[in-house]
Amino acid sequence: MITSTSLFLQYGLRASRTVLGSGWNRLPFFRWISALSAISSENAVSLFPTVAARDPEAGWKVLVQGDIYTSGHVGLTKRLLLRFLQRLLRASDEMIQGEIFQQRIGRFLARDERGKTISVRIGNEVFPVPDKSGPTGHFSGMVRVPDQVFEAGPEPGVEPLRGKVEVEFPAGDGRKVAGEVFLLNPEGISVISDIDDTVKHSYVACRRTLLQKTFLKEFEVIEGMADVYRRWASHGAAFHYVSSSPWHLYQHLANFLALANFPDGSYHLRSFRLRDHFFRRFLMLRRAGKGTVISSLLRMFPRRQFVLVGDSGESDPEIYGAIARRFPEQVRKIYIRDLGGPKSTAKRYARAFRQLPTESWQLFRNTEDLSELPIDNLLAK
C-alpha cells in the first residue's frame, strides 16, 4: 500500500535537494528525515578508518566510508564462482574448507546491499551521508560538521588526533558500530602507502601466487617496513593506506597491519563486485582508480606535504610520477620498492618520473636502503 508518508519519503527528499540546495541537510527537520536509515536488522554494517580536514568556512569535512551487506545463503552463481576460483588456485577441497579461505572469502559471498541510506552520529549530532550505498554495498561521502562536534581539534604539530563516527541505526536497533576518524591539521606530513609488495609480500607479478597469497596463506610482512613507518610516525607523519585490494579484505588487512605493528591510518581500498568481475577481473583491474583516490586526498589537504611509497610490481611508478607532476608543491618524495625482474629497467623509471627532479624519487630493495624521512626539514619549508 502506498501512503502519503511513503510518497513524501520517496520524493520529498529529492525535491528538497533541488529547492534547498546543497545545504538542505543542515536544516534540523530534513536532517531528521535523512536519519531514517534504511538498514534492516539482518544487514551488517562496517565503518572504515578515515580522515577529516578542517574547513575554514564550515568546521570539519569528514570523509565517511563503510560497507553494508547481508550474510547467509550462497546461491548457485556464487557456488559456481567458488569452483572457478578453486581451479585458479589449484586448491584442494581441504584448502577450500580451511579456516583462512573461509574467513577471507566470506565477505565476497555475502549479498551486497545497494541503495541503502546511511546516517552517522558524531558527538551528539546526526548527519546523513549524501550518497546511498553502491552496487558493491560500499558507501562513501563527505559530511560537514561544526567545530564543536569533536571534543578537541588537533593542536599545531601534534597529530593525528582521533574522533569517532557511529552508525545511526533505526529506532529499536540497539547495535553499536563505530569507526575512527583522524583529524589532520591543514599543514603537516602525510605518507600514502601501498600494501601489496610494499608492506606485505603478495607477488603480484604472478597471478596465481597473488590469489594464493590472498585467499589461502597467512599474510607475510616485508621485514623492516613497520620499523621505518613507526619512525616516520614518531616525527608526526600521518598514514593513509591506499591499495588496489578490495574493500572485502579490509578487516583482514587491518588486523595484519596492526599485529605487525604498523602505524594506524586511514584506509582507501577498491570497490569490487564478484559476479561482475569473477576473479580474473580481480587480477586485471587491481590498478583501477588508485590515482583518483590519491588525487582526492591531495585535494582534500591542499597545504599538506605527501610522501608516496609503493613498489614496481604494478603501476605505482607511473601513477606516482603522474601525481607528482600534477601536484608538484605537495608531493615531496616518492619511494619505490624495486622488485627486480624484466619490469625494473632504467628506461621505465626514466619515463615514469620524467620532468621530476632526480632527488624527488628513490628506489630501494631493502628497508636499509631507505634514508630517514626528513620530517623536520619538510615541515620547515
Coordinates of all heavy atoms in Angstrom, one line a residue, residues 32 35 54 58 75 90 129 194 196 218 221 241 253 272:
W32 N 16.5 15.2 10.3 CA 15.8 14.1 11.0 C 15.2 13.1 10.0 O 15.3 11.9 10.2 CB 14.7 14.7 11.8 CG 13.8 13.7 12.4 CD1 14.0 13.0 13.6 CD2 12.5 13.2 11.9 NE1 13.0 12.1 13.8 CE2 12.1 12.2 12.8 CE3 11.8 13.5 10.8 CZ2 10.9 11.6 12.7 CZ3 10.6 12.9 10.6 CH2 10.1 11.9 11.6
A35 N 17.9 10.9 8.7 CA 18.4 9.9 9.7 C 17.6 8.6 9.7 O 18.0 7.7 10.4 CB 18.3 10.6 11.1
R54 N 40.0 20.3 8.3 CA 39.3 21.5 8.8 C 38.9 22.4 7.6 O 39.8 22.7 6.8 CB 40.2 22.2 9.8 CG 39.4 23.4 10.5 CD 40.3 24.1 11.4 NE 40.7 23.3 12.6 CZ 40.0 23.1 13.6 NH1 38.8 23.6 13.7 NH2 40.4 22.4 14.6
A58 N 33.4 26.1 7.4 CA 32.3 25.3 7.9 C 32.8 24.1 8.8 O 32.4 23.0 8.7 CB 31.4 24.7 6.8
G75 N 24.0 -18.6 -3.3 CA 23.3 -19.1 -4.4 C 24.1 -19.9 -5.4 O 25.4 -20.0 -5.2
R90 N 44.3 -23.8 -7.9 CA 44.7 -25.2 -7.9 C 44.7 -25.7 -6.4 O 45.7 -26.2 -5.9 CB 46.2 -25.3 -8.5 CG 46.2 -25.0 -9.9 CD 47.6 -25.1 -10.5 NE 47.6 -24.8 -11.9 CZ 48.8 -24.7 -12.6 NH1 49.9 -24.9 -12.1 NH2 48.7 -24.5 -13.9
V129 N 24.8 10.7 5.3 CA 25.8 10.5 4.3 C 25.1 10.9 2.9 O 24.1 10.3 2.6 CB 26.4 9.1 4.3 CG1 27.4 9.0 3.1 CG2 27.0 8.8 5.6
D194 N 51.2 2.1 -0.4 CA 50.6 0.9 -1.0 C 50.7 -0.3 0.1 O 51.4 -0.1 1.1 CB 51.3 0.5 -2.3 CG 50.7 -0.7 -3.0 OD1 49.5 -0.8 -3.0 OD2 51.5 -1.5 -3.5
D196 N 50.2 -4.2 -1.0 CA 50.8 -5.4 -1.7 C 52.2 -5.2 -2.2 O 52.4 -4.3 -3.0 CB 49.8 -5.9 -2.8 CG 48.5 -6.4 -2.2 OD1 48.6 -7.3 -1.4 OD2 47.5 -6.0 -2.7
E218 N 48.8 -17.4 5.2 CA 48.9 -16.3 6.1 C 49.7 -15.1 5.4 O 50.6 -15.3 4.7 CB 49.7 -16.7 7.4 CG 49.0 -17.8 8.2 CD 47.9 -17.3 9.0 OE1 47.6 -16.0 9.0 OE2 47.2 -18.1 9.7
V221 N 54.8 -10.3 6.3 CA 55.2 -8.9 6.3 C 56.6 -8.7 5.6 O 57.4 -9.7 5.6 CB 55.3 -8.4 7.8 CG1 56.4 -9.1 8.5 CG2 55.5 -6.9 7.9
Y241 N 46.6 4.3 3.9 CA 46.9 3.0 3.2 C 46.0 3.0 2.0 O 44.8 2.7 2.1 CB 46.8 1.8 4.1 CG 47.7 1.9 5.3 CD1 47.3 2.3 6.6 CD2 49.1 1.5 5.1 CE1 48.2 2.3 7.6 CE2 50.0 1.6 6.2 CZ 49.5 2.0 7.4 OH 50.4 2.0 8.5
L253 N 43.3 -7.2 6.3 CA 44.5 -6.4 6.1 C 44.7 -5.5 7.3 O 45.9 -5.4 7.8 CB 44.3 -5.5 4.9 CG 44.2 -6.2 3.5 CD1 43.9 -5.2 2.4 CD2 45.6 -6.9 3.2
F272 N 34.6 -3.7 -5.5 CA 34.7 -4.9 -6.3 C 33.4 -5.7 -6.2 O 32.9 -5.9 -5.1 CB 35.9 -5.8 -5.8 CG 36.1 -7.1 -6.5 CD1 36.9 -7.2 -7.6 CD2 35.5 -8.2 -6.0 CE1 37.0 -8.4 -8.3 CE2 35.7 -9.5 -6.6 CZ 36.4 -9.6 -7.7

